[in-house]
Amino acid sequence: MTDVHHWHQRAQSLSLNTQAFINGQFVDAASGDRFDTYNPATGERLAQVASCDKADADNAVAAARAAFNDRRWAGQSPAQRKAVLLRFAELIAEHRDELALLESLDMGKPISDALGYDAPATARAISWHAEAIDKLYDEVAPVGDEALALITREPLGVVAAIVPWNFPLVMAAWKLGPALATGNSVILKPSEKSPLSALKLAELGRQAGLPDGVFNVLPGYGHTVGEALAMHMDIDCITFTGSTAVGKHLLECAGKSNMKRAFMECGGKSAHIVCADCDDLDKAAATAAAAICYNQGEVCTAGSRLLVDNAIKAEFLEKLVAQLPQWQPGDPLDPNTSMGAMVDQAQYDRVCQFIEQGQGEGSTLLAGGLPERAGPGLFIPPTIFSDLAPDHRLAREEIFGPVLSVIGFDGLDEAIAIANDSDYGLAAGLWTSSISNAIQGSRALRAGTVFVNNWDGGDMTMPFGGYKQSGNGRDKSLHAMEKYTELKSTWIQL
Ligand code: NAD
């Protein structure tokens, strides 16, 4: 009985963790303050959640530091840590439905996406890094007979992970997996717009056997508890996913405080290029639609700038618009829904402002436009603007909603030049049947990920992160584990 009624019924009987999780215990914020979290599809208040601030950050850091110093986690063998983390991943998989429901209710994503991607990808991120830790070796440097020179990796200590609301579980797991696997203590701060699934993770981590203090969760606002973590003198690393503006601020905080390691995964305005020699325009059009509509366009790698060769532009746009009936927003708890609600009123208003600004100025509105509000739900239909100048605000700024800007070009060189003319460099895509265009184009694109004849390929074995103002770190793959370790050189004179 997994129809829409099933999920509405389950939502009624869901029990929610609403306290902070510090040193293995669920506790109120020291101030006693709480904030509201809402279901953006209905406007209903879901819960009042502990609103942490500096005092809670201090408590969590003290617990995390004590756990690190007595080596209750870092001192376990990799095989032992692996066993605990694999159990954690199993529990996440066993609670798939509940986690998916929390995600859908709290931030508006379709339940089918949360079930099909978010919950399993969260378990996979934990298990993948767990599996890796007893297979990684340190190094011995080639220095000759007179010394033994060791190059070893050690955990950093206390890691604060600050994450956004668009993929609350997955963004957390991309950081928790490698940071915990390498022996650190972690403090997770979920977004104030989507705190509920992180608090469920805390419960499952405890059940799996993560020792007290090793994994803490502090719900609350960025300017209160987030800022306290960023400025803390006893945190060794801040690992962040979110907007470029906040990422830049956190780099300053690291510099102003204790020069903690600071890894930023930030925004994007990714160019999706369709060349005239693309031999499957239907597939490219279906993919281009999904690239801007999936997760309501609230995706850092959304293909939000569509660059189409002028030779095929009219034909391609017709095929693209024909895809949109499959992408109309609806009840996120209906398993047939492909697009849900925008996360909150502020994000809804922001996207609507962009849509207003796109109108006029020579642009053509091909689909969508300002939504007609029929109720409290924050729904925005896929909206496509064509004939925008490449320097138009809509074609340059991250909108983080289902709004696509289409730009024509003549030849791949021009497409690459337009694509690279951006402050961001998170992802780019290229549709072509020419092997030379594919390879030369992907080399020339200044982006952390390039998709050729697809959009959003990749798995845990591949790093994920940005060039330029899209960030300075990489999540996923063994490279992510490097971020959470110090490199120690030990020279033993013989
Ligand atoms: P955001 O920057 O507003 O918030 C992200 C997190 O930072 C939240 O937990 C927030 O509370 C916290 N925060 C805000 N101000 C803070 C401060 N002064 N000090 C400490 N913490 C603070 O971003 P968002 O709106 O939650 O998420 C959307 C953004 O995330 C988009 O720009 C998107 O591109 C980006 N994103 C990037 C990736 C990636 O891997 N590169 C993945 C997903 C999302």
Side-chain angles (χ1 to χ4, degrees), residues 25-234:
Q25 304 296 325
F26 281 102
V27 291
D28 287 329
S31 65
D33 286 351
R34 292 186 158 254
F35 66 92
D36 295 327
T37 184
Y38 292 93
N39 177 346
T42 63
E44 283 163 349
R45 186 169 74 188
L46 291 166
Q48 293 186 298
V49 178
S51 185
C52 295
D53 61 20
K54 184 171 182 310
D56 308 288
D58 288 342
N59 289 340
V61 173
R65 177 61 62 192
F68 185 68
N69 284 349
D70 70 17
R71 298 187 60 75
R72 71 187 77 157
W73 178 241
Q76 291 188 25
S77 70
Q80 287 169 318
R81 290 205 304 273
K82 177 174 94 168
V84 173
L85 290 174
L86 286 180
R87 180 72 193 124
F88 187 20
E90 268 171 26
L91 287 168
I92 293 168
E94 283 168 22
H95 289 78
R96 180 188 80 143
D97 288 8
E98 190 178 346
L99 287 166
L101 189 53
L102 288 172
E103 215 73 321
S104 179
L105 290 171
D106 216 5
M107 59 70 65
K109 76 170 62 208
I111 187 73
S112 48
D113 292 347
L115 287 167
Y117 174 68
D118 298 69
T122 302
R124 171 94 174 124
I126 304 291
S127 65
W128 194 90
H129 289 287
E131 288 287 1
I133 44 180
D134 61 354
K135 297 164 192 75
L136 290 172
Y137 291 72
D138 286 324
E139 299 165 49
V140 178
V143 296
D145 279 355
E146 75 284 3
L148 177 62
L150 305 176
I151 305 169
T152 51
R153 290 210 170 259
E154 296 182 349
L156 293 172
V158 177
V159 173
I162 300 183
V163 297
W165 47 262
N166 62 336
F167 293 89
L169 283 168
V170 180
M171 294 302 104
W174 284 3
K175 300 186 190 307
L176 286 175
L180 289 172
T182 45
N184 297 281
S185 299
V186 179
I187 301 167
L188 171 65
K189 192 206 92 63
S191 169
E192 62 277 14
K193 301 182 185 190
S194 60
L196 297 175
S197 57
L199 293 167
K200 185 69 192 176
L201 276 190
E203 179 193 318
L204 299 178
R206 178 170 67 181
Q207 205 179 325
L210 284 171
D212 292 350
V214 169
F215 175 32
N216 308 274
V217 180
L218 298 181
Y221 293 101
H223 64 274
T224 57
V225 68
E227 188 84 15
L229 293 170
M231 290 299 293
H232 209 287
M233 295 301 286
D234 200 24

Side-chain angles (χ1 to χ4, degrees), residues 129 153-157 159-161 171-172 174-184 186 237-240 261 263 265 474-476 479-486:
H129 289 287
R153 290 210 170 259
E154 296 182 349
L156 293 172
V159 173
M171 294 302 104
W174 284 3
K175 300 186 190 307
L176 286 175
L180 289 172
T182 45
N184 297 281
V186 179
C237 169
I238 192 127
T239 178
F240 170 79
R261 306 289 176 265
F263 299 109
E265 302 297 339
R474 293 293 181 271
D475 284 332
K476 300 165 68 190
H479 294 286
M481 297 173 89
E482 292 163 11
K483 293 197 304 196
Y484 302 108
T485 53
E486 288 286 14

Side-chain angles (χ1 to χ4, degrees), residues 36 97 159 172 232 239 249 318 328 399 409 415 422 448 466 486 488:
D36 295 327
D97 288 8
V159 173
H232 209 287
T239 178
H249 173 68
E318 210 171 292
Q328 294 305 312
I399 299 173
F409 66 83
S422 171
E486 288 286 14
K488 179 173 276 182

